[in-house]
Amino acid sequence: MSDKFEISGNNHKIILFIMLFFIVCRAEAQLQKKEVYGFVVDIDGQPLAGVNVRLTTSLDTIMVASSNTGFYKFEEVKGKNIRLNYSLLGLEIVERSYPQYNSTNRVVAETITLKPQTSVLKEILIKKYKPIVFKEDTVQFNMDAFQFNRRMLLEDALKQIPNFQVSRDGSVYAFGKPIMSVQVDGKKFFGGDVLTATRNLPVDFIKNIQVIDYYGDEAYAKGTKGGESEKILNIVLKDDKKKISFGQVTGGLGNKDRFLASAGINRFNDGQELSFVGSLNNTNTNLFSFGSPNGGGSRDRVMGELADFADPTDGFNNIGSLGTSFSSNLTDKIYASGRYSFSNMKNVTKGNSYLQSVYGDHIISNLEDYVTKSVDNSHQMNWDFDIKLSDTDLLKISPTFSWSKSKGEEVRDRYVKNRTITNNGTYLADNTSTSPNAELDVLYAKSFKKPGRKLVYNLHLGYNSVEKNENILDRNTIIDSAFNDVSTKTSFLNQFVRSDNQNQDIKSSLSIIEPVDKGGVLEINYDFTYTAIDARRMVHERDNELWDMQLVDSLSLRYDYAFASNRIGMKYQQDVFSKFKYNVGFAVQPTELTGYSRDKSIRTSYGNVNLIPAAGIKWKFNENSDLSVDYLGKNNQPNFYQIQPILDNTNSQNIIQGNPDLKAEFVNRILAKYRKSIVKKGQYFESSLAYNFVFDKIVSNRTTMPNSTIQKTTFLNTSGYYDIKAYYLFTSALFDGNIQMSLNGNADFYNNVTYINDTRNDGGHILYSQSLQFRYMFSDIFEAELNGNYSLNSATYKLPYNDQIIAHSGVLGLGSKCYVSQHSSFGVEVSQRLNAGYSSNSWTNVNPTIINAYFEYTFMRNNLAMLRVQGFDLLNQNSGITRDVIGNDILDVQNQRLSRYFMLSLNFRLQKYPKKS
């Protein structure tokens, strides 16, 4: 036993010794210091500087950066299992291990190539859009800087953009002025029709919209501006929306037999456009504006009525409309666009009016109750051909044709009073008329080798014809209570009137533009204008008992009328200064007016020579403010209504006789305009002041027939007329842009020269309007708009003593919309109108309160479908009161309008995008 234990003890010592030997050897190996170095290059083999090289071993961690030559070195490295990590921003990370160099003192690493990083995180692109960009004649609104609901149409989007206002009937105002035409990517969309564009284009297709002061094609071709501009809207589509098909279909039914059906389809293809639209409804929804957004038969709205949520269209209407438009490049040198539209409107209007004819010491009053019915059919077609004859020759041809046919009838019960004389009468009339119209505009522009030298020729040919047949029945009972014995007599008028008026006009102008010095341009121009009227009017009276028609020579007419003018002028424009521009000019204009009556041997002739100076300056203080002052002069010729040399007694209470010896008016106009914008604060200010004074102003001469309620109107030329018109607009973003404020006002004064019983009467007419608007948006949850307006209409007459008649009108409106969820929303519109100073006591709803409400629910993919429930005029008070002052006449009118109804409608949006390649 003892021998075995002893052997085992020796073995144990041997094992311990061996273990200690290996530990010491390993320690020596671990403590052995090394050098590690190498190079780092890019994929082209060029040295990479600044590469972070990280070394780790079993005992050490060290980091260095590569030099300009790509070299790196680690000294006194401890430990084994060398691992290297290479990293540089934007390049791939590389790792290398060198376990085979554990027993050596020097490690030369392989040359490392770093490649560009291909697996970086997806880039985050931050875009910042400038909401509004002001240029010389253009203001651009970048749509990506605003938040809109995706399915929103342009009409609703414009309501949320600063400096835009949209009335309930679709009229669009920008910077206080109406938008007259619309383009898409610089080309007219549907012939430039405003309503068709705003009620069909989705806002998510649009990159930006531009409000342009447009001076006409001729001014654009010449490169010089003359006359007054109008506001047009250019819509720039997004790059990925220039090839797209879209449209919508809407159907609705309501109580009181209300209905609505409309459809539209549009195709854009990189400048090519094809559109079809159609509608049938009795809710006063018109597809086309035909130059006025209210369609046919209604008066134009003004900006001050934006606060009113009432329907402004008089009467009850049944409207059907259909249209198509097309534009495309026919060849590389010819671009063509055209539009055809048809509209059928049936209107029934019930109303009453109160007419005051002021004759100083007394007033002739005329109170009428009436019912009018009309059926109007209108066709309109227009084309534009832009032809590039060569690199220096451009030709534009624009033919237009329209044809309308209407049928109407009216019944009027009237009560006329002149002091002690009263007249109870009934007026019945029916008429049919047709009117074909044709126009042709040709514009030719040629550029020469010398920069700025141009020749521009413009030709306009126009033809208009109106054929009208009228049956008139007028019964009157005249009571004279001036004496104790009251006298009564009756009058009876039964006429058939056939008229045929044909108008032809020619306007031709030639301009030569020549650069004469640095920044200076000289324009020499010649304008020729010719208007001819061929009028035929035959009046037949029917016998009271036999109803046989007899031609009345004294009331019939065959008259030829012509007006011609030649204008030769010269204008110099200087643009050499970056902040100051001016122009001066002078023109001589001989005019000649002639008339000849074939059946009455009446011949008139008048000639005159007008000397017309022209001048203008524009001072640009900085990029965001400028001032312009311009003087303009032009002729206004009398219309046929004013010169017809016969009595027109179709209205037995107001007989009209023209004056064939009238001269043409000459209008002098001075216009000053100032603009300033502060983009950072979201503020814009604009004001204008216009002064017009007119030589040979055509005014009316009203006379009363002795011992009757009958008035007679003739016309004459006079001096002393002038008017002053002032306007301002101020908009601002408030509370970090959460509220948009718009403040605007108008003040117009007319020195209203008239003649009363052959005596001159200088009266004043003042129109004043002040409007305030606030818009508020809270994210995509809530939006509201508060509008207020006050207007004053004041007429003053001086003979035989000062007399003033004043009417006040105010309206306050609030519209709001709340988005309940992603798919549902509801809105409420409330407006209160306050009227004072109107004359008739028989009117109802003089101060109407209008409440409209609706609920919308969207569904399907991308919310392409919408169900809408709406109630209009919940209190059933819609009515409208208007006042017009013409000469010594003050006319107050109230007509019945579309009132309370409820409707359920369903709308589908149609969209097709091009396939992605």
Side-chain angles (χ1 to χ4, degrees):
M1 294 286 296
S2 61
D3 292 339
K4 291 181 180 179
F5 176 76
E6 192 172 336
I7 296 171
S8 297
N10 293 332
N11 291 339
H12 180 66
K13 292 178 181 179
I14 294 171
I15 292 172
L16 290 175
F17 176 78
I18 294 172
M19 292 178 63
L20 289 172
F21 176 79
F22 279 108
I23 291 173
V24 171
C25 291
R26 184 176 181 183
E28 288 182 359
Q30 294 280 12
L31 295 172
Q32 186 178 11
K33 297 180 180 179
K34 300 180 177 66
E35 289 184 352
V36 179
Y37 57 87
F39 290 87
V40 187
V41 297
D42 61 17
I43 58 175
D44 296 324
Q46 299 298 317
L48 279 174
V51 177
N52 296 316
V53 185
R54 185 172 181 268
L55 180 146
T56 60
T57 70
S58 58
L59 298 176
D60 215 346
T61 299
I62 310 172
M63 181 177 289
V64 297
S66 62
S67 65
N68 291 335
T69 61
F71 177 76
Y72 65 91
K73 183 179 180 180
F74 296 94
E75 297 178 348
E76 297 183 353
V77 176
K78 303 175 183 178
K80 296 182 179 181
N81 298 327
I82 298 172
R83 181 180 294 273
L84 297 173
N85 178 284
Y86 305 85
S87 64
L88 183 64
L89 184 64
L91 301 178
E92 291 181 348
I93 298 174
V94 176
E95 290 188 354
R96 291 291 186 268
S97 298
Y98 300 95
Q100 69 272 26
Y101 291 103
N102 289 340
S103 59
T104 62
N105 297 329
R106 181 176 293 177
V107 179
V108 180
E110 64 180 298
T111 299
I112 300 300
T113 301
L114 297 186
K115 300 178 182 179
Q117 177 64 271
T118 57
S119 58
V120 296
L121 293 175
K122 185 177 181 180
E123 66 175 344
I124 300 175
L125 184 61
I126 301 176
K127 294 183 178 180
K128 185 177 181 180
Y129 297 94
K130 194 174 182 180
I132 307 176
V133 179
F134 291 90
K135 303 177 183 179
E136 185 170 353
D137 292 319
T138 302
V139 182
Q140 178 174 297
F141 297 85
N142 296 317
M143 304 301 276
D144 286 326
F146 303 91
Q147 294 183 354
F148 302 108
N149 186 296
R150 179 175 177 177
R151 79 179 323 275
M152 185 178 291
L153 296 177
L154 178 59
E155 181 180 66
D156 292 321
L158 291 176
K159 298 176 183 179
Q160 300 180 16
I161 300 178
N163 300 311
F164 274 93
Q165 287 83 26
V166 182
S167 66
R168 189 182 185 276
D169 64 352
S171 306
V172 180
Y173 301 87
F175 300 96
K177 305 298 180 184
I179 295 294
M180 305 304 296
S181 180
V182 174
Q183 299 177 347
V184 174
D185 287 335
K187 305 294 183 181
K188 284 186 178 180
F189 175 71
F190 223 95
D193 190 82
V194 177
L195 288 186
T196 309
T198 58
R199 291 181 173 175
N200 283 276
L201 285 173
V203 69
D204 61 334
F205 291 5
I206 301 172
K207 180 179 180 180
N208 57 63
I209 55 176
Q210 300 169 338
V211 180
I212 302 173
D213 288 327
Y214 187 63
Y215 291 85
D217 292 336
E218 185 178 1
Y220 177 78
K222 292 192 295 186
T224 60
K225 300 167 188 175
E228 297 184 47
S229 64
E230 63 182 22
K231 298 285 187 184
I232 68 172
L233 193 68
N234 182 45
I235 301 166
V236 180
L237 299 177
K238 294 179 179 178
D239 293 337
D240 60 343
K241 299 298 190 295
K242 295 184 184 295
K243 290 185 178 181
I244 191 171
S245 300
F246 65 96
Q248 57 178 323
V249 178
T250 303
L253 291 174
N255 66 327
K256 297 184 179 179
D257 298 323
R258 298 292 164 211
F259 64 89
L260 169 66
S262 66
I265 187 70
N266 307 271
R267 171 65 177 169
F268 289 151
N269 187 10
D270 270 343
Q272 185 183 75
E273 175 247 331
L274 180 63
S275 301
F276 298 93
V277 293
S279 176
L280 185 65
N281 68 88
N282 59 1
T283 59
N284 293 339
T285 304
N286 207 332
L287 273 179
F288 313 116
S289 56
F290 292 106
S292 172
N294 52 39
S298 178
R299 66 186 182 86
D300 290 338
R301 298 258 295 190
V302 295
M303 258 195 70
E305 296 179 289
L306 292 171
D308 195 352
F309 290 107
D311 190 312
T313 308
D314 290 336
F316 303 94
N317 301 277
N318 194 318
I319 305 171
S321 49
L322 179 69
T324 181
S325 70
F326 169 78
S327 62
S328 179
N329 287 309
L330 301 183
T331 68
D332 293 340
K333 296 185 177 181
I334 301 177
Y335 179 86
S337 64
R339 181 191 77 162
Y340 166 76
S341 56
F342 167 75
S343 179
N344 170 269
M345 176 180 285
K346 299 176 182 177
N347 174 274
V348 178
T349 299
K350 296 181 180 180
N352 48 55
S353 64
Y354 187 74
L355 173 66
Q356 302 173 84
S357 300
V358 181
Y359 286 90
D361 58 342
H362 71 284
I363 294 177
I364 299 178
S365 61
N366 183 355
L367 178 62
E368 292 188 354
D369 294 309
Y370 52 82
V371 178
T372 65
K373 299 178 181 180
S374 64
V375 179
D376 296 301
N377 293 283
S378 178
H379 303 260
Q380 185 170 351
M381 181 174 63
N382 55 278
W383 284 88
D384 287 310
F385 297 94
D386 294 305
I387 306 171
K388 189 176 181 180
L389 301 176
S390 68
D391 292 339
T392 59
D393 295 81
L394 301 176
L395 178 66
K396 182 173 183 178
I397 303 175
S398 303
T400 300
F401 176 76
S402 64
W403 182 85
S404 61
K405 182 177 182 179
S406 64
K407 181 179 180 180
E409 59 182 74
E410 59 181 311
V411 178
R412 295 180 178 271
D413 295 321
R414 61 191 174 203
Y415 177 78
V416 187
K417 185 175 182 180
N418 180 13
R419 293 175 173 168
T420 60
I421 302 174
T422 60
N423 182 344
N424 293 310
T426 301
Y427 179 86
L428 306 173
D430 64 77
N431 64 79
T432 59
S433 64
T434 58
S435 178
N437 302 276
E439 294 182 358
L440 176 65
D441 289 283
V442 179
L443 177 66
Y444 171 73
K446 181 177 179 61
S447 300
F448 297 89
K449 291 182 179 180
K450 183 179 180 180
R453 178 182 292 173
K454 296 180 181 179
L455 182 147
V456 178
Y457 175 73
N458 188 39
L459 174 66
H460 169 83
L461 303 175
Y463 172 81
N464 168 260
S465 175
V466 179
E467 296 181 7
K468 187 175 183 180
N469 293 329
E470 295 179 274
N471 289 294
I472 300 168
L473 189 64
D474 194 355
R475 298 188 181 94
N476 296 280
T477 300
I478 301 97
I479 301 174
D480 188 350
S481 57
F483 304 99
N484 292 332
D485 295 331
V486 177
S487 63
T488 302
K489 61 180 180 179
T490 61
S491 66
F492 182 80
L493 179 67
N494 191 345
Q495 287 184 345
F496 172 73
V497 181
R498 173 175 292 173
S499 58
D500 180 9
N501 292 345
Q502 297 182 14
N503 297 5
Q504 301 92 32
D505 65 282
I506 301 173
K507 296 180 181 179
S508 178
S509 64
L510 177 66
S511 299
I512 300 174
I513 297 95
E514 177 68 22
V516 292
D517 53 25
K518 184 179 180 180
V521 176
L522 179 65
E523 178 185 346
I524 301 174
N525 53 66
Y526 168 74
D527 297 325
F528 171 73
T529 301
Y530 179 80
T531 301
I533 298 177
D534 184 8
R536 304 289 183 268
R537 186 171 186 267
M538 292 185 294
V539 180
H540 296 80
E541 286 192 354
R542 295 186 176 96
D543 185 88
N544 291 352
E545 297 180 357
L546 302 178
W547 282 63
D548 292 333
M549 291 198 303
Q550 300 291 331
L551 179 65
V552 183
D553 289 334
S554 61
L555 302 178
S556 300
L557 178 69
R558 296 185 64 188
Y559 190 71
D560 292 333
Y561 160 77
F563 175 82
S565 71
N566 295 271
R567 174 171 170 162
I568 303 173
M570 180 182 301
K571 183 171 72 172
Y572 175 77
Q573 179 174 301
Q574 176 58 257
D575 294 345
V576 67
F577 306 110
S578 60
K579 294 186 177 181
F580 185 79
K581 302 178 181 180
Y582 69 90
N583 66 80
V584 292
F586 189 79
V588 179
Q589 184 181 41
T591 62
E592 183 180 10
L593 188 153
T594 60
Y596 173 67
S597 175
R598 299 182 181 179
D599 55 342
K600 294 179 173 58
S601 299
I602 299 175
R603 184 183 296 274
T604 59
S605 179
Y606 166 76
N608 190 31
V609 176
N610 295 313
L611 304 178
I612 308 173
I617 62 169
K618 186 167 186 178
W619 190 355
K620 191 172 185 179
F621 302 106
N622 52 52
E623 291 297 324
N624 298 316
S625 62
D626 60 68
L627 170 68
S628 62
V629 180
D630 292 286
Y631 166 80
L632 306 171
K634 66 174 184 177
N635 271 307
N636 286 335
Q637 64 192 66
N639 59 44
F640 180 74
Y641 176 78
Q642 296 169 329
I643 64 171
Q644 57 178 347
I646 59 166
L647 286 174
D648 182 353
N649 67 344
T650 51
N651 182 347
S652 63
Q653 297 302 300
N654 188 8
I655 300 174
I656 298 174
Q657 184 172 15
N659 178 7
D661 295 323
L662 284 178
K663 303 175 184 178
E665 299 177 344
F666 184 72
V667 182
N668 299 270
R669 179 175 176 82
I670 300 175
L671 175 63
K673 185 176 182 180
Y674 174 74
R675 301 186 301 178
K676 181 179 179 60
S677 62
I678 304 176
V679 179
K680 291 182 179 180
K681 296 183 178 180
Q683 295 179 347
Y684 177 82
F685 176 77
E686 177 179 305
S687 63
S688 65
L689 179 65
Y691 174 60
N692 298 285
F693 58 100
V694 183
F695 296 119
D696 295 322
K697 175 67 176 178
I698 299 174
V699 300
S700 61
N701 182 16
R702 304 289 298 279
T703 58
T704 57
M705 307 295 287
N707 300 321
S708 75
T709 58
I710 300 174
Q711 302 175 71
K712 181 180 179 181
T713 301
T714 58
F715 304 92
L716 50 85
N717 296 105
T718 190
S719 60
Y721 174 89
Y722 66 89
D723 61 62
I724 303 173
K725 300 180 180 181
Y727 161 80
Y728 83 94
L729 169 71
F730 175 69
T731 63
S732 178
L734 306 176
F735 304 104
D736 296 328
N738 292 324
I739 296 179
Q740 292 289 334
M741 182 196 72
S742 177
L743 180 67
N744 67 82
N746 295 274
D748 301 341
F749 173 78
Y750 301 85
N751 183 45
N752 198 11
V753 181
T754 58
Y755 278 75
I756 299 175
N757 290 326
D758 300 320
T759 302
R760 180 185 173 105
N761 181 22
D762 289 290
H765 185 199
I766 298 175
L767 295 175
Y768 173 75
S769 176
Q770 179 65 62
S771 300
L772 178 63
Q773 179 187 74
F774 291 99
R775 293 177 182 167
Y776 173 73
M777 292 189 65
F778 178 71
S779 184
D780 55 354
I781 299 175
F782 178 77
E783 61 186 56
E785 182 178 301
L786 176 65
N787 290 280
N789 173 260
Y790 166 77
S791 60
L792 167 70
N793 193 333
S794 174
T796 303
Y797 300 95
K798 295 182 179 180
L799 288 180
Y801 50 82
N802 287 336
D803 188 19
Q804 187 175 35
I805 300 177
I806 299 177
H808 304 270
S809 181
V811 60
L812 185 66
L814 173 64
S816 62
K817 186 173 184 179
C818 181
Y819 298 90
V820 181
S821 67
Q822 183 179 359
H823 296 281
S824 59
S825 62
F826 70 88
V828 178
E829 300 171 340
V830 181
S831 65
Q832 175 66 58
R833 179 173 284 277
L834 300 171
N835 296 301
Y838 292 88
S839 304
S840 176
N841 296 322
S842 63
W843 291 348
T844 58
N845 297 333
V846 174
N847 301 312
T849 303
I850 304 298
I851 302 178
N852 307 323
Y854 60 89
F855 174 80
E856 297 174 342
Y857 180 77
T858 59
F859 56 97
M860 295 181 62
R861 181 175 60 88
N862 294 328
N863 293 330
L864 291 179
M866 182 179 72
L867 188 68
R868 178 184 175 102
V869 181
Q870 70 178 49
F872 171 72
D873 187 21
L874 299 182
L875 300 182
N876 201 31
Q877 294 186 10
N878 185 28
S879 62
I881 300 175
T882 62
R883 166 165 287 187
D884 293 310
V885 177
I886 303 174
N888 67 320
D889 283 343
I890 301 173
L891 177 63
D892 297 335
V893 176
Q894 184 181 46
N895 291 323
Q896 289 187 7
R897 295 176 175 177
L898 190 64
S899 55
R900 180 170 57 198
Y901 71 88
F902 300 90
M903 176 168 283
L904 176 66
S905 61
L906 183 61
N907 171 266
F908 288 96
R909 281 184 56 184
L910 312 173
Q911 293 182 2
K912 182 179 180 181
Y913 296 87
K915 295 181 179 180
K916 295 183 179 181
S917 58

